[in-house]
Amino acid sequence: MSFEAPPTLLELSMKSLLRNEALAISVLQQLPSEFFPSLFKEAFKSRHMKILTAMVAVWPFACLPVGAMMKVPDRMILQAVLDGVDIMLTDKAHFRRSKLRVLDLRNTHNVFWDVWPGIHGLDCSKGTLSKKQTGNGHFRYAVRRLLKVVTDFDLRLNLDEQQAYLLQWAQQRKGAVRLCCMKMSICVTPLGIIMMVLKTFQPDYIEELELSTNWSLVTLSHFATCFGQMRNLRRLHLARIYTNTDKAVNTSANIEEKCAARFISQIAKLNCLQHLSMDGVYFSSERMKQLFRCIKSPLKTLSVSLCRISQSDLKHLSQCRRLFHLKHLNLFGVALFNLCPTHLFFLLKNVGDTLQSLELEHCRMGDSHLSALLPALSQCLQLTRVNLYDNDLSTSLLKELLQSMTHLSKLTEEFYPAPLECYGESGHVIVDKFAKLCPDLLDILRSKRQPKKVSFGTEFCPQCFQRCVYDQKTKLCQAPLSPSITRSLAPPTFPELTQRAKLRTSAAAGSGSAQRKSRSPVSFPRAFRPVSLLGAVAENRDPCPGTLLCSPSSSG
C-alpha cells in the first residue's frame, strides 16, 4: 500500500492565499522573496489572473522567465503578465519594490524554476545581450534603463493573436520597453509583415534566423537590407531558395543573379556567424563562390542538404578558410557520385583536428569515391558521429573503411550502408546475405575497440519506407512482402528520373493487386528517393511535405 506525502506548510499556505484573492494581493508587499516562485507557479496553473498581474508588478528578481511555463500560446496569461508590467512602469511605489529587468517570453526550459533557494543573483536572460551588442556604447546606457522583453518569433502567413497583441503593446511603450527577438523563423511570410515586425524588433538583437520562403529573388533582395542589420546573427538557416540561370528558359536570369548577389553580399556583415545551414537551396556557381568568400567568421557548423552542387561549388567550399575549424559537416542528399572527391578530401584533411560529426547520407558515393576519402577520414580523431547510409559500397571497401575507423575511439554513433552484395539482381534485399555479412563487418570494429552504437542499413523499402537494419541483431523492415529495393548501376539523369517516376507511379497503380498475388519484388529505381527530392527542390516546390518518403532517417 502506498501513501501520498502530506502537503508541506508552504503548500498549505499558498493554497490558502489563492482561495482569498484579495488577501493574496494585499500581502504581496510583505511576502518574503522566497515565496514568489512557488506562489507564481500555483497562480499560473490555477489561472488566477489578478494575482499574476499583482505579482509581476512587485517581482523581486531581475528576471521573470514566464515563457518557460507557457507550453502553448495563451493570450489571457500574456495579457495578465503585461498588465503587471504596466503597473510596475506607471506606479512609482511598485517600481521601487520591483527588481524586474528582463521579462523572458521564450518557450524554453529555464533553470530559474528548478533551483531554489539561492537564485537571487541568477541571470536567466543569458544570451539576450551580448558584449558585442553593448560594446558600441551608443545605446548601452539606454538599454540599462529599459525593461527588456525577450521572445522568439515564428512568422507564418499572418501574425497570430498573441504576436499581434505583443507587438501593439510594445509599440505603445517604446520609451520604457525594449522588445528583443532572439530567434526568428520566417516561413512564406509576406514581406510587408516582416518589415512591420522589424520596426518593433531591433534586427541586431536577433541571434538565430530561419528563412524558408517561396519569395522570388527580387523580393529576397528587398529583404537584404534588414538581413544585413542582423549583426549578431549566430545561426542562419536558408531553405527553399532557388534561382533558374538557364537563359533559354528564364529571360530574367541576369536580374535574378543581381538580386541573389545583393542578398548574399550581406553575409559579409555577419561577423558573429557560427552555424550556416542551406536546405534545398540552389544558387549559380558564381553566387556560391561569392557566398563562401563572404563568410567572415570561423564556422562551427556547415549543413548543405538536398542541394545540387557542381564541381566548382565543391572547390570553393573546400578552399574557404573559414570552414577549416568545422565541428559539424552535413552534406545529406548532395549527389557526390559524379564529382571528383579531391576537394572533399582536402576539406576533411583541414578539419581533421576539430570535426565531431560527419553526415554523408544519400550522397550515392561508390567505392572509388570513398576510397579516396579514407586517408583524410581516418585522421578525424575527434569524430563522435559518422553517417554513410545510402552510399554504394562493396563488402571489400566497407572492410577497408572499418579498418580505418577502428582507432577513432571517440565515435559513439556510426551508420554504414549495407554492402552491395546484399542485393539481388533485381535489387531486392537478400536477407541471408545481409544477416551474414553485417556481423562479420561489425567484428572488424570489435577487434580493436568496443563500439557503442553501430548500424548497417539497407535502402529504404518502397512499401513501408523503413530500412532493414543490423545493430547487433537483424531487424527487417515492416513491409508485408519481402523487402525489396531495386538499384540502378548508372545513376539516371534528372529528366530520366522524372519520366521514370511518372511511369512507375501509373504502373504501380494498375498492377498493385498482381504484385500482391505473385509476391514479386517491387521495382523502384535505387536513386529514386534522394534524387526525386532534389528534383522537387529544383522545381521550387514542396517535396511531399509530411510524408515518410521525405523524412531522412539515420535510425532505421
Side-chain angles (χ1 to χ4, degrees):
M1 178 178 262
S2 60
F3 295 94
E4 290 187 7
T8 64
L9 185 60
L10 175 61
E11 290 170 339
L12 291 172
S13 301
M14 287 190 301
K15 289 179 180 179
S16 177
L17 277 176
L18 292 176
R19 281 195 296 266
N20 192 332
E21 195 171 75
L23 176 63
I25 294 174
S26 67
V27 301
L28 287 178
Q29 296 282 1
Q30 292 79 40
L31 198 67
S33 299
E34 288 80 2
F35 282 84
F36 268 74
S38 299
L39 183 60
F40 189 90
K41 285 194 287 186
E42 288 300 320
F44 185 97
K45 291 177 184 176
S46 53
R47 301 184 69 81
H48 284 80
M49 301 303 178
K50 290 183 180 179
I51 295 179
L52 286 179
T53 297
M55 292 190 72
V56 172
V58 293
W59 191 249
F61 305 107
C63 177
L64 174 54
V66 68
M69 301 171 65
M70 298 172 63
K71 301 305 178 185
V72 294
D74 192 321
R75 160 71 185 274
M76 292 184 65
I77 292 285
L78 177 65
Q79 185 172 346
V81 170
L82 296 183
D83 286 347
V85 172
D86 285 338
I87 294 173
M88 183 196 75
L89 294 175
T90 56
D91 191 307
K92 291 184 179 180
H94 285 91
F95 189 79
R96 286 193 296 269
R97 159 72 170 161
S98 175
K99 296 181 181 179
L100 184 61
R101 295 296 175 264
V102 178
L103 177 63
D104 193 342
L105 300 177
R106 292 175 293 177
N107 184 9
T108 55
H109 176 75
N110 198 295
V111 71
F112 181 95
W113 302 112
D114 298 334
V115 181
W116 188 258
I119 62 173
H120 297 271
L122 178 66
D123 180 14
C124 65
S125 62
K126 183 179 179 181
T128 60
L129 198 63
S130 67
K131 290 182 180 179
K132 288 184 178 292
Q133 287 169 300
T134 58
N136 298 329
H138 66 282
F139 64 80
R140 179 187 295 185
Y141 179 70
V143 170
R144 189 178 296 145
R145 295 177 54 193
L146 298 179
L147 173 73
K148 286 187 292 181
V149 179
V150 184
T151 185
D152 293 332
F153 236 60
D154 187 2
L155 291 170
R156 299 293 167 170
L157 193 58
N158 293 298
L159 296 177
D160 63 34
E161 184 182 17
Q162 180 167 314
Q163 290 171 337
Y165 181 82
L166 177 61
L167 285 174
Q168 183 180 16
W169 178 87
Q171 288 167 354
Q172 294 171 352
R173 294 156 184 80
K174 273 193 173 181
V177 172
R178 185 177 298 280
L179 193 57
C180 307
C181 179
M182 307 304 299
K183 176 182 178 181
M184 181 172 287
S185 300
I186 300 173
C187 182
V188 295
T189 312
L191 183 62
I193 291 179
I194 296 171
M195 302 302 283
M196 182 269 292
V197 168
L198 290 176
K199 287 180 180 179
T200 306
F201 290 114
Q202 286 197 345
D204 55 358
Y205 280 94
I206 299 174
E207 294 185 356
E208 185 171 350
L209 175 66
E210 295 182 5
L211 186 61
S212 176
T213 175
N214 56 1
W215 288 343
S216 68
L217 286 176
V218 175
T219 304
L220 191 67
S221 71
H222 292 321
F223 178 70
T225 302
C226 290
F227 176 57
Q229 293 173 359
M230 300 178 186
R231 303 296 177 88
N232 289 288
L233 203 64
R234 283 159 172 72
R235 292 181 179 272
L236 174 61
H237 179 199
L238 302 175
R240 298 178 61 202
I241 298 175
Y242 173 74
T243 175
N244 190 347
T245 55
D246 185 354
K247 293 185 180 181
V249 176
N250 185 3
T251 56
S252 60
N254 289 333
I255 296 177
E256 287 197 342
E257 278 287 280
K258 291 178 181 178
C259 291
R262 183 184 177 195
F263 176 78
I264 291 172
S265 66
Q266 304 302 309
I267 294 177
K269 301 176 181 179
L270 309 180
N271 294 321
C272 298
L273 190 64
Q274 296 178 346
H275 309 275
L276 174 61
S277 173
M278 296 186 290
D279 185 3
V281 174
Y282 177 68
F283 292 121
S284 68
S285 291
E286 192 61 31
R287 299 285 71 81
M288 291 293 281
K289 178 181 180 180
Q290 178 192 6
L291 188 152
F292 290 117
R293 285 184 172 179
C294 282
I295 297 174
K296 298 302 181 183
S297 58
L299 293 187
K300 293 181 180 179
T301 303
L302 176 66
S303 176
V304 182
S305 60
L306 295 175
C307 299
R308 290 189 300 172
I309 65 174
S310 66
Q311 191 71 52
S312 175
D313 299 336
L314 195 58
K315 175 184 177 182
H316 298 314
L317 186 154
S318 67
Q319 293 177 346
C320 177
R321 301 188 66 84
R322 302 302 185 185
L323 304 182
F324 287 1
H325 299 283
L326 281 177
K327 291 184 177 180
H328 310 284
L329 176 61
N330 177 15
L331 298 179
F332 168 79
V334 175
L336 297 175
F337 59 83
N338 58 349
L339 301 179
C340 175
T342 304
H343 300 303
L344 184 55
F345 169 85
F346 181 75
L347 178 61
L348 290 176
K349 183 178 179 181
N350 281 291
V351 299
D353 292 336
T354 58
L355 193 65
Q356 296 176 9
S357 69
L358 177 63
E359 301 281 338
L360 295 177
E361 182 178 352
H362 278 310
C363 292
R364 313 280 14 147
M365 291 185 293
D367 284 4
S368 60
H369 289 80
L370 203 61
S371 179
L373 299 180
L374 283 185
L377 183 58
S378 63
Q379 297 305 310
C380 296
L381 302 179
Q382 305 303 316
L383 270 181
T384 61
R385 174 186 169 93
V386 62
N387 183 357
L388 296 171
Y389 271 172
D390 298 337
N391 287 287
D392 305 324
L393 307 179
S394 66
T395 302
S396 59
L397 193 282
L398 275 169
K399 289 181 178 179
E400 186 180 349
L401 167 65
L402 294 172
Q403 287 284 1
S404 67
M405 305 290 276
T406 54
H407 67 286
L408 301 184
S409 58
K410 294 187 177 182
L411 277 171
T412 58
E413 294 180 289
E414 303 170 68
F415 303 94
Y416 302 106
L420 292 175
E421 288 81 358
C422 291
Y423 300 94
E425 291 184 0
S426 61
H428 62 281
V429 176
I430 304 174
V431 175
D432 290 344
K433 278 193 175 182
F434 178 73
K436 180 180 183 302
L437 288 174
C438 292
D440 293 342
L441 293 171
L442 182 58
D443 286 342
I444 296 175
L445 292 177
R446 284 176 169 168
S447 66
K448 299 290 185 179
R449 59 179 168 87
Q450 189 59 40
K452 293 179 175 62
K453 181 178 180 181
V454 181
S455 296
F456 296 88
T458 66
E459 305 284 343
F460 280 96
C461 170
Q463 297 176 43
C464 66
F465 308 119
Q466 295 183 11
R467 302 179 189 274
C468 295
V469 174
Y470 179 83
D471 53 359
Q472 301 191 45
K473 62 180 179 179
T474 303
K475 299 176 183 176
L476 301 182
C477 68
Q478 301 300 313
L481 307 181
S482 58
S484 56
I485 307 283
T486 299
R487 59 188 174 86
S488 171
L489 295 178
T493 63
F494 273 80
E496 290 173 342
L497 256 178
T498 304
Q499 183 61 26
R500 193 182 303 179
K502 292 178 181 178
L503 292 174
R504 292 187 184 281
T505 301
S506 59
S511 61
S513 59
Q515 287 180 347
R516 283 191 292 271
K517 290 179 182 178
S518 64
R519 301 180 68 83
S520 61
V522 180
S523 179
F524 279 81
R526 189 161 187 220
F528 175 77
R529 180 175 180 270
V531 183
S532 62
L533 285 173
L534 292 174
V537 171
E539 295 170 18
N540 200 25
R541 57 182 171 82
D542 274 334
C544 310
T547 63
L548 279 173
L549 188 62
C550 297
S551 300
S553 171
S554 300
S555 59

